[in-house]
């Protein structure tokens, strides 16, 4: 299935905010973003419906582990047929999404990886690993020019200090054919490090619990025929949004999944959450294969209609998106 990747491309960091807002307001794939639920709305209106504290903690940790990636480098090592080949050797910025899947024990009195520290010894520092798409971060050169933004959940987060940033260090492993990258990151920011540790604890507590999220009212029960999918991402580099849809096809041989959960440029690298499955059903969002139909001439899938009805909106379009299992 042909398709296109979904990074948000900006001319420079200087114009990032304006270009991000313009892209979100003028999006052609999801005009109006009617099926995109803000993090705050989701936490206030949907999480309380879950009867299990473990489920609430685990899903909240999933949201908090989702990060925005801002990459200021395109390596000359990218091949000629690469998605970003035309930008090789430039600092044109692209934005994608990632997910913190592993947090290491804090280290003491070692050279810090933060650019601000410039290799000086930090009293305490934290390292963690972020899963994203290989087309978002290609190699170590690009990893070292990547900002990892935590808790960018609303428009005020970057102004009032709630958003925290760490830095990429290197690429631990990647598979271009499956479009995933495992990137090592680090910080010596005490507030960020301790909060990441706490998020990791919440996630581990829920690791063995079956995640049937039908109580949310957005997803049906864990029916194998339905295969609902939830995505947390940063569309157009904007604050986190949550969308819901369903698996449309599975290609086991190529480890590829198709789904109609709404996504946008900036969603590349987001991890997919499958209701009714334990957390290690990992698939990384890679891109879009195009739109399929509008509500004027075809029937929308039940999940988009339900989501729109609950939020007082009409769904505009359904699309075909794809990702690869990790």
């Amino acid at each position: 299935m042909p398709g296109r990747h979904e990074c948000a491309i900006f001319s420079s960091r200087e114009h990032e905010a304006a270009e991000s807002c313009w892209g979100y307001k003028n999006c052609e794939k999801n005009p109006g973003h009617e099926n995109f639920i803000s993090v705050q709305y989701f936490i206030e209106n949907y999480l309380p419906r879950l009867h299990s504290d473990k489920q609430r903690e685990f899903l909240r940790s999933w949201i908090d582990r989702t990060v925005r990636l801002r990459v200021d480098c395109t390596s000359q090592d990218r091949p000629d047929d690469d998605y970003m080949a035309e930008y090789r050797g430039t600092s044109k910025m692209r934005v994608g999404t990632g997910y913190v899947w592993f947090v290491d024990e804090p280290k003491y009195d070692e050279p810090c990886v933060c650019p601000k520290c410039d290799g000086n010894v930090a009293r305490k520092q934290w390292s963690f690993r972020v899963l994203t798409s290989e087309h978002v971060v290609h190699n170590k050169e690009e990893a070292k020019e990547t900002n990892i933004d935590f808790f960018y959940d609303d428009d005020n987060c970057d102004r009032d200090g709630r958003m925290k940033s760490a830095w990429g260090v290197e690429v631990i492993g990647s598979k271009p054919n499956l479009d995933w990258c495992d990137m090592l990151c680090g910080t010596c920011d005490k507030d960020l490090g301790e909060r990441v540790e706490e998020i990791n604890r919440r996630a581990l507590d829920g690791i063995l619990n079956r995640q049937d999220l039908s109580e949310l009212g957005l997803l049906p029960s864990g029916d194998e025929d339905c295969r609902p999918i939830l995505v947390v991402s940063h569309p157009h580099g904007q604050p986190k949004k949550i969308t819901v849809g369903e698996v449309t096809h599975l290609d086991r041989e190529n480890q590829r999944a198709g789904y109609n959960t709404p996504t946008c440029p900036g969603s590349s690298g987001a991890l997919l959450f499958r209701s009714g499955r334990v957390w290690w059903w990992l698939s990384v969002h890679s891109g879009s294969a195009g739109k399929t139909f509008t509500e004027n001439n075809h029937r929308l899938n039940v999940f988009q209609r339900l989501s729109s009805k609950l939020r007082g909106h009409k769904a505009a379009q359904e699309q075909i998106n794809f990702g690869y299992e990790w």
Side-chain angles (χ1 to χ4, degrees):
M1 181 191 299
R4 56 188 180 276
H5 297 310
E6 290 198 309
C7 286
I9 311 296
F10 302 137
S11 61
S12 68
R13 186 174 289 276
E14 180 183 0
H15 301 107
E16 171 195 352
E19 292 184 42
S20 174
C21 289
W22 188 93
Y24 194 79
K25 291 178 181 178
N26 296 278
C27 178
E28 295 182 356
K29 186 181 182 187
N30 291 287
H33 297 91
E34 294 178 338
N35 290 303
F36 287 65
I37 306 171
S38 72
V39 166
Q40 194 62 32
Y41 188 93
F42 187 88
I43 291 172
E44 292 177 356
N45 292 275
Y46 293 113
L47 277 189
R49 300 181 185 184
L50 296 175
H51 295 158
S52 165
D53 289 339
K54 292 290 187 182
Q55 280 192 318
R56 280 191 291 270
E57 288 292 317
F58 183 77
L59 188 53
R60 180 61 190 269
S61 76
W62 185 283
I63 294 170
D64 287 341
R65 281 172 169 238
T66 299
V67 293
R68 181 177 66 167
L69 304 180
R70 293 182 290 166
V71 189
D72 287 322
C73 166
T74 304
S75 174
Q76 291 280 14
D77 290 340
R78 285 186 180 245
D80 292 339
D81 60 351
D82 187 85
Y83 164 68
M84 296 290 293
E86 64 180 292
Y87 303 121
R88 287 178 295 190
T90 73
S91 59
K92 183 180 284 288
M93 192 177 80
R94 64 185 170 279
V95 176
T97 300
Y99 179 82
V100 177
W101 74 272
F102 177 80
V103 180
D104 204 352
E105 293 292 329
K107 294 181 175 61
Y108 297 86
D109 300 321
E110 293 187 7
C112 185
V113 300
C114 298
K116 293 180 181 179
C117 292
D118 195 26
N120 292 323
V121 172
R123 190 187 69 81
K124 188 177 182 180
Q125 61 180 299
W126 292 259
S127 62
F128 47 89
R129 287 160 68 174
V130 170
L131 184 65
T132 187
S133 293
E134 190 270 346
H135 72 263
V136 177
V137 180
H138 177 70
N139 58 14
K140 180 177 180 179
E141 179 186 2
E142 295 182 1
K144 294 181 72 173
E145 297 296 328
T146 300
N147 271 100
I148 299 94
D149 297 325
F150 286 81
F151 319 126
Y152 185 36
D153 296 344
D154 59 58
D155 291 326
N156 295 317
C157 283
D158 58 340
R159 293 191 289 268
D160 62 17
R162 280 178 292 148
M163 186 183 87
K164 297 284 187 178
S165 296
W167 287 90
V169 178
E170 62 180 309
V171 170
I172 299 295
S174 67
K175 282 194 176 181
N177 62 314
L178 297 180
D179 195 23
W180 62 256
C181 165
D182 181 10
M183 178 173 58
L184 178 67
C185 310
T187 183
C188 62
D189 183 317
K190 182 175 181 291
D191 291 339
L192 174 57
E194 290 180 350
R195 188 166 179 186
V196 170
E197 283 187 293
E198 172 61 19
I199 294 169
N200 185 58
R201 182 196 62 76
R202 296 205 315 265
L204 292 176
D205 283 347
I207 195 170
L208 297 178
N209 292 302
R210 187 173 178 84
Q211 302 299 325
D212 180 359
L213 305 181
S214 60
E215 295 167 352
L216 290 174
L218 284 175
L219 302 174
S221 61
D223 185 340
E224 289 298 316
D225 294 330
C226 291
R227 295 181 296 204
I229 292 288
L230 183 146
V231 174
V232 185
S233 72
H234 286 278
H236 306 280
Q238 290 285 295
K240 269 176 219 165
K241 300 292 189 295
I242 296 169
T243 52
V244 64
E246 63 179 318
V247 175
T248 56
H249 73 274
L250 288 173
D251 182 350
R252 295 295 188 187
E253 181 178 354
N254 296 303
Q255 296 177 251
R256 178 166 168 152
Y259 39 92
N260 53 30
T261 311
T263 59
C264 278
S267 296
S268 276
L271 210 59
L272 312 182
F273 187 98
R274 181 173 171 183
S275 178
R277 294 285 186 176
V278 289
W279 76 282
W280 54 77
W281 193 83
L282 296 183
S283 189
V284 180
H285 176 62
S286 182
S288 171
K291 304 168 186 175
T292 57
F293 52 78
T294 67
E295 65 176 344
N296 293 326
N297 55 14
H298 284 282
R299 179 180 63 86
L300 285 174
N301 77 86
V302 64
F303 306 112
Q304 285 182 303
R305 295 206 319 273
L306 179 58
S307 174
S308 298
K309 182 178 179 181
L310 288 172
R311 301 181 63 243
H313 295 304
K314 292 182 179 179
Q317 294 174 335
E318 184 180 56
Q319 56 246 282
I320 304 172
N321 298 311
F322 63 93
Y324 294 90
E325 291 188 33
W326 186 34

